[in-house]
Amino acid sequence: MNFVSNSTGAFYDRSISQLAILRDNAEEFQTQIATGVRIQRGSEDPIAASRLRALTRLEVRGNTEEENAARLRQDLSETSNQITGVVDLIQRARELAVQAASDTQGEAGRAAIADELEQMADELFTRSNALSITGAPLFAGTAGAPAFEKAPDGTVTYIGNGQVGTVPVAPGTDIERGITGDQLFEFDVNGTPTSSFAVFSQLAADLRGGSADPQAAAQTALAGIDEALDAANRNQTVVGTRLAWVEAIEDDNAERAINVAEKRSEIGDTNIADVIVRLQQTLTALEASQTTFTRVSNLTLFNAI
């Protein structure tokens, strides 16, 4: 009798355990279908879980680099726009200097040119202190304050610093944020330091009577204007190159993000079709096991115990 009792107990324990396993498997498959996630706990597949954590780190870093690249592209685009405006002003100043150097310009004509040069100098100063879309100075380096200040006598001085800083935009790739104001607006003419602001202001003053020979002064000013134009064009090229570099990196980052997402999906996402088949198989096995358990437990031998 003890043998029968032990066998009966073992049968019930084994049957209940098998049914519980089948139910757990069915619930797991249903959860995978509902969530779309194959691995609910790391213990289910430690190797796959470890790879998913590594992919998550790549995604986080990639998102940060993507945001950095987008902001840098915006800043460089605005920097390029401002430099384009500066180039236009300098080119117009050159046209005015050529006119002022002509014999056809009288005192009134030179005064009108001086007026326009002064207005252009004001616009040049405004552009020198332009801000990014986030409100940071474009040409002050890392100073975080206006790049240039104007004294009561009209003298313009660079008060930024010479450090532009870099931005990480891809693994192992940092790109400089922009250019500094002294690079753009300051230069030497025949070995003498000067600036675009000084060239504009001096020419305007000379045309208003500050020079005994305004025509010669206008001719002399062309050397400074040409240096100013060279500096602006040179920096426009630098910014354009960096902007193109950032845009290329953004394309690479987007492709990398797609590859990471595809790998994550391959490792961690539920294969719906496969899991549905496995769920159906499990439910069928569970139903058959329940039926078998009921029938066997109702046999005469068990009823007699």
Side-chain angles (χ1 to χ4, degrees):
M1 180 63 69
N2 287 336
F3 173 76
V4 175
S5 298
N6 290 338
S7 298
T8 302
F11 166 78
Y12 276 102
D13 290 342
R14 185 171 60 254
S15 298
I16 291 173
S17 176
Q18 291 174 344
L19 291 173
I21 291 172
L22 289 171
R23 290 193 186 96
D24 288 345
N25 289 342
E27 290 177 0
E28 180 180 335
F29 293 145
Q30 289 169 338
T31 300
Q32 290 180 8
I33 293 171
T35 63
V37 178
R38 182 177 68 86
I39 302 174
Q40 302 298 321
R41 297 176 300 276
S43 58
E44 295 173 357
D45 191 337
I47 295 177
S50 176
R51 295 176 65 188
L52 286 174
R53 287 193 295 271
L55 289 171
T56 297
R57 289 192 293 271
L58 286 177
E59 284 182 330
V60 171
R61 187 177 70 182
N63 290 337
T64 300
E65 292 168 343
E66 182 180 351
E67 293 172 0
N68 288 346
R71 285 196 298 269
L72 181 58
R73 172 172 44 79
Q74 292 170 340
D75 287 350
L76 289 174
S77 294
E78 181 58 26
T79 299
S80 179
N81 291 337
Q82 292 297 332
I83 297 178
T84 297
V86 169
V87 169
D88 291 342
L89 289 171
I90 297 173
Q91 287 176 334
R92 177 56 181 163
R94 195 181 197 289
E95 294 172 2
L96 294 174
V98 171
Q99 293 176 19
S102 171
D103 293 336
T104 61
Q105 293 294 332
E107 184 177 344
R110 288 192 293 271
I113 291 175
D115 287 340
E116 185 172 351
L117 282 169
E118 289 170 349
Q119 292 174 359
M120 291 164 55
D122 288 340
E123 183 178 349
L124 198 67
F125 179 73
T126 298
R127 288 187 179 277
S128 73
N129 285 322
L131 305 177
S132 69
I133 61 172
T134 58
L138 289 175
F139 302 114
T142 58
F148 291 88
E149 65 177 4
K150 184 183 292 187
D153 65 356
T155 302
V156 177
T157 304
Y158 182 62
I159 57 175
N161 61 37
Q163 307 297 320
V164 295
T166 60
V167 180
V169 295
T173 302
D174 294 357
I175 297 180
E176 291 183 323
R177 293 178 180 274
I179 59 172
T180 58
D182 55 346
Q183 292 176 305
L184 178 59
F185 295 101
E186 297 180 353
F187 43 85
D188 289 350
V189 178
N190 298 323
T192 302
T194 187
S195 68
S196 301
F197 312 104
V199 170
F200 278 40
S201 299
Q202 186 61 54
L203 178 56
D206 288 342
L207 295 179
R208 289 192 185 281
S211 172
D213 188 348
Q215 288 179 244
Q219 185 66 42
T220 300
L222 286 173
I225 292 174
D226 287 342
E227 289 293 342
L229 189 58
D230 285 345
N233 284 331
R234 183 169 58 251
N235 283 283
Q236 180 73 302
T237 299
V238 170
V239 171
T241 300
R242 290 176 187 165
L243 184 56
W245 190 8
V246 170
E247 290 172 347
I249 285 176
E250 284 188 302
D251 291 340
D252 290 341
N253 286 347
E255 183 175 352
R256 187 180 300 109
I258 291 173
N259 292 336
V260 171
E262 288 177 347
K263 197 64 178 177
R264 165 180 280 280
S265 177
E266 176 185 331
I267 296 172
D269 287 359
T270 300
N271 184 330
I272 299 297
D274 177 65
V275 174
I276 287 177
V277 171
R278 294 170 66 186
L279 173 61
Q280 187 59 52
Q281 291 173 339
T282 301
L283 292 175
T284 300
L286 177 60
E287 181 179 357
S289 296
Q290 289 172 331
T291 300
T292 300
F293 175 75
T294 301
R295 290 177 178 176
V296 172
S297 62
N298 287 328
L299 291 176
T300 302
L301 176 61
F302 287 95
N303 290 335
I305 297 174

